[in-house]
Amino acid sequence: MGAKKVYTCFCTDVIHEGHLRILEEARKLGSVTVGVLCDEQSLRYNRFPTKTTAERVAMVEALPGIERVVVQNEILYDEIIRDLHPDYVVHGDNWGSASMQVIKKNIESLLQEYGGELVSVPYTRNDQVTRIDRQLDDKLMMPEFRRARLKRILGLVPIVKTIEVHSGLTGLIAEKTMVIEGEAIDQYDAMWISSLCDSTNKGKPDIELVDMSSRFRTIEDVMEVTTKPIIFDGDTGGLTEHFVYTVRSLERMGVSAVIIEDKTGLKKNSLFGTEVEQTQDSIENFCEKIAAGKRVQVSDDFMIIARIESLILEKGQEDALSRARAYVKAGADGIMIHSRKKEPDEILAFCDAFREEDKSTPLVVVPSSFNTVTEVELAEHGVNIVIYANQLLRAAFPAMQEVARSILLHHRAHEVDAQLLPIKEVISLIKEI
Ligand code: SPV
Ligand code: MG
């Protein structure tokens, strides 16, 4: 009788004591195959890998006593168990979270079909393991690692899910929110620093009044507590002579992309549409701004995305398309197309037409008013990045207003308490260094 087949999966960039202990237990049971979770699944389920799949495979191959290393392509074990048919799956006993419970049930039900067994090894929690865990997060926060990640994610997922943040706290929400839908685990890929929300949060109108130093301060607040890539709303980019400095600063900070819109003069929020006077920049001028930004950029990672306001200003698809062509030619790394229609039709029509002639330039869409459209539909029409541009701020305002009213009405805070986050949970949101 041959040795029993044992399988364990590693989802890590650094091998520590805990992994070695799992391997030791696995080896006692038979011949060990180790899976390395692929990049795409690592970023959905855990943190973004700081090493490529190939580097992680090589790291595991260097460990002693392993029969084989394979890439696990799904966080759930269906495919890998069907292929390997292991007698044992060995896993740390860190089954506490809801997502880990989904995985545990999945493994158990697959093994049950043929009498395989799940072996849980006590999860190692000591200073070294905690330190390594923290170091990985710290590395992901560093400008050079964070900046490059948007481009990498673009190559990994069908659509990059981006949510608006305007403070450290909203950054934490974007960073940590994870949902389980059936057996799928999901989280946001990137963050959007919206001019509308950054301004509104300061009680100011969205007219490029909040200056760049203040906008940068918001970026810093978010960066200090998060690891995910940042897309910055650069409004019109200002004067070309100023925009080049903005590009350098954003790049240095570790922002992954800036989106600038082709408007000129006093910018107003696009969702006003033609209700207020707004002037679109000339193609020539805007191209020069894009090209100037690209000229001063130092790294290959940073992206300048051109936002087209033709549909907002009711100039039609042809105008939008000719601008898209020109902006890409001028060096734009992506195109954002905006609309304030209730239905997504004009946006989807633009995306289809654009994709007919340009298969690769990333397309960005902000479905604030046409919010019935789904991520799957957008991806089907060639959209690569979806930005939920203002929902967190809009959620906070009515909630805070309601609480303020209730305290005034009842002359005490008792009545609202049930609607509030317990202080203990507020405290646990914030990680100490
Ligand atoms: C923002 O979030 O500030 C934007 C997107 O620019 S929109 O408000 O829809 O114009
Ligand atoms: Mg804006």
Side-chain angles (χ1 to χ4, degrees):
M1 221 178 71
K4 296 272 189 190
K5 283 192 280 182
V6 188
Y7 179 72
T8 186
C9 181
F10 285 175
C11 174
T12 186
D13 296 353
V14 177
I15 300 293
H16 56 56
E17 219 180 297
H19 303 107
L20 297 178
R21 182 159 174 198
I22 287 178
L23 272 187
E24 199 181 305
E25 293 304 316
R27 272 195 301 265
K28 287 182 195 161
L29 297 167
S31 155
V32 182
T33 297
V34 179
V36 167
L37 191 65
C38 72
D39 287 351
E40 187 183 330
Q41 293 289 299
S42 295
L43 79 90
R44 272 281 157 274
Y45 148 79
N46 193 1
R47 56 163 75 82
F48 196 90
T50 57
K51 289 182 175 154
T52 63
T53 308
E55 286 168 336
R56 288 184 291 126
V57 167
M59 173 182 81
V60 175
E61 274 172 348
L63 297 172
I66 295 172
E67 188 67 22
R68 194 148 72 104
V69 180
V70 295
V71 175
Q72 183 171 325
N73 292 314
E74 295 290 340
I75 185 69
L76 296 178
Y77 282 59
D78 298 65
E79 187 184 294
I80 202 88
I81 287 186
R82 201 176 50 238
D83 289 355
L84 297 178
H85 224 69
D87 299 290
Y88 299 103
V89 170
V90 179
H91 198 289
D93 69 351
N94 51 324
W95 299 118
S97 68
S99 55
M100 292 308 286
Q101 279 296 316
V102 170
I103 293 167
K104 184 168 188 252
K105 280 203 190 93
N106 169 255
I107 300 174
E108 281 172 344
S109 78
L110 291 162
L111 292 176
Q112 202 179 24
E113 286 173 21
Y114 61 90
E117 195 185 324
L118 173 63
V119 177
S120 299
V121 176
Y123 191 79
T124 310
R125 265 269 157 247
N126 60 27
D127 286 355
Q128 188 221 17
V129 170
T130 311
R131 198 168 50 248
I132 288 176
D133 217 39
R134 193 166 284 166
Q135 277 167 354
L136 285 174
D137 269 351
D138 290 347
K139 192 170 170 185
L140 288 174
M141 280 182 172
M142 287 296 141
E144 61 277 27
F145 291 107
R146 193 196 295 252
R147 189 175 51 230
R149 218 168 306 135
L150 183 63
K151 273 197 178 170
R152 277 193 66 198
I153 296 177
L154 271 168
L156 289 172
V157 300
I159 190 158
V160 177
K161 287 172 272 206
T162 310
I163 182 121
E164 171 267 318
V165 301
H166 53 268
S167 60
L169 191 64
T170 48
L172 283 177
I173 289 172
E175 182 80 10
K176 293 187 176 184
T177 303
M178 207 183 243
V179 295
I180 300 169
E181 221 187 321
E183 293 193 321
I185 297 162
D186 214 352
Q187 58 176 310
Y188 290 102
D189 301 303
M191 299 176 286
W192 164 246
I193 308 241
S194 149
S195 68
L196 173 69
C197 299
D198 204 0
S199 308
T200 306
N201 196 41
K202 292 175 167 57
K204 297 268 170 66
D206 181 20
I207 52 170
E208 293 185 286
L209 171 66
V210 177
D211 66 31
M212 272 301 160
S213 308
S214 172
R215 304 284 320 276
F216 290 170
R217 180 68 231 174
T218 304
I219 298 177
E220 293 286 358
D221 287 345
V222 171
M223 280 186 163
E224 273 193 47
V225 295
T226 62
T227 66
K228 293 185 179 182
I230 291 178
I231 305 174
F232 181 70
D233 178 358
D235 287 319
T236 65
L239 295 172
T240 299
E241 292 84 344
H242 294 175
F243 179 56
V244 287
Y245 285 92
T246 306
V247 167
R248 278 280 171 89
S249 305
L250 291 171
E251 216 188 344
R252 198 168 48 242
M253 279 191 274
V255 169
S256 301
V258 62
I259 300 188
I260 49 170
E261 59 197 89
D262 58 359
K263 286 206 294 242
T264 190
L266 179 63
K267 187 220 86 154
K268 301 256 177 77
N269 185 274
S270 298
L271 301 176
F272 280 122
T274 49
E275 286 161 28
V276 294
E277 192 167 331
Q278 308 206 53
T279 317
Q280 202 170 16
D281 204 352
S282 70
I283 294 186
E284 197 186 16
N285 216 33
F286 200 64
C287 283
E288 174 41 34
K289 199 182 282 186
I290 295 164
K294 290 310 288 178
R295 265 198 306 276
V296 299
Q297 183 181 320
V298 177
S299 73
D300 286 337
D301 312 325
F302 188 73
M303 299 172 78
I304 297 179
I305 298 173
R307 163 172 167 176
I308 298 170
E309 293 288 292
S310 304
L311 303 182
I312 292 281
L313 300 172
E314 293 173 10
K315 293 191 179 168
Q317 179 170 307
E318 266 320 303
D319 185 79
L321 277 174
S322 60
R323 284 174 176 271
R325 269 178 227 124
Y327 299 163
V328 171
K329 209 162 155 216
D333 301 289
I335 292 293
M336 173 184 152
I337 184 70
H338 208 17
S339 159
R340 65 181 199 119
K341 292 268 160 65
K342 280 256 166 267
E343 301 301 325
D345 306 15
E346 68 171 5
I347 282 283
L348 298 181
F350 171 89
C351 294
D352 291 344
F354 180 74
R355 276 284 170 256
E356 285 261 306
E357 47 186 272
D358 184 330
K359 301 275 180 259
S360 59
T361 303
L363 262 180
V364 185
V365 163
V366 179
S368 298
S369 49
F370 46 98
N371 55 18
T372 53
V373 73
T374 65
E375 290 158 3
V376 170
E377 276 174 280
L378 289 171
E380 277 168 4
H381 290 268
V383 175
N384 306 89
I385 301 180
V386 58
I387 301 179
Y388 300 100
N390 50 40
Q391 286 77 6
L392 290 189
L393 183 116
R394 285 166 59 206
F397 189 83
M400 291 192 287
Q401 201 175 37
E402 190 44 40
V403 167
R405 279 174 53 81
S406 169
I407 295 172
L408 266 187
L409 277 173
H410 296 99
H411 306 283
R412 62 179 194 177
H414 172 73
E415 282 70 16
V416 292
D417 210 61
Q419 297 169 41
L420 307 181
L421 190 65
I423 292 286
K424 226 176 166 177
E425 280 183 42
V426 174
I427 294 164
S428 70
L429 267 178
I430 316 294
K431 196 171 70 175
E432 282 176 30
I433 296 188

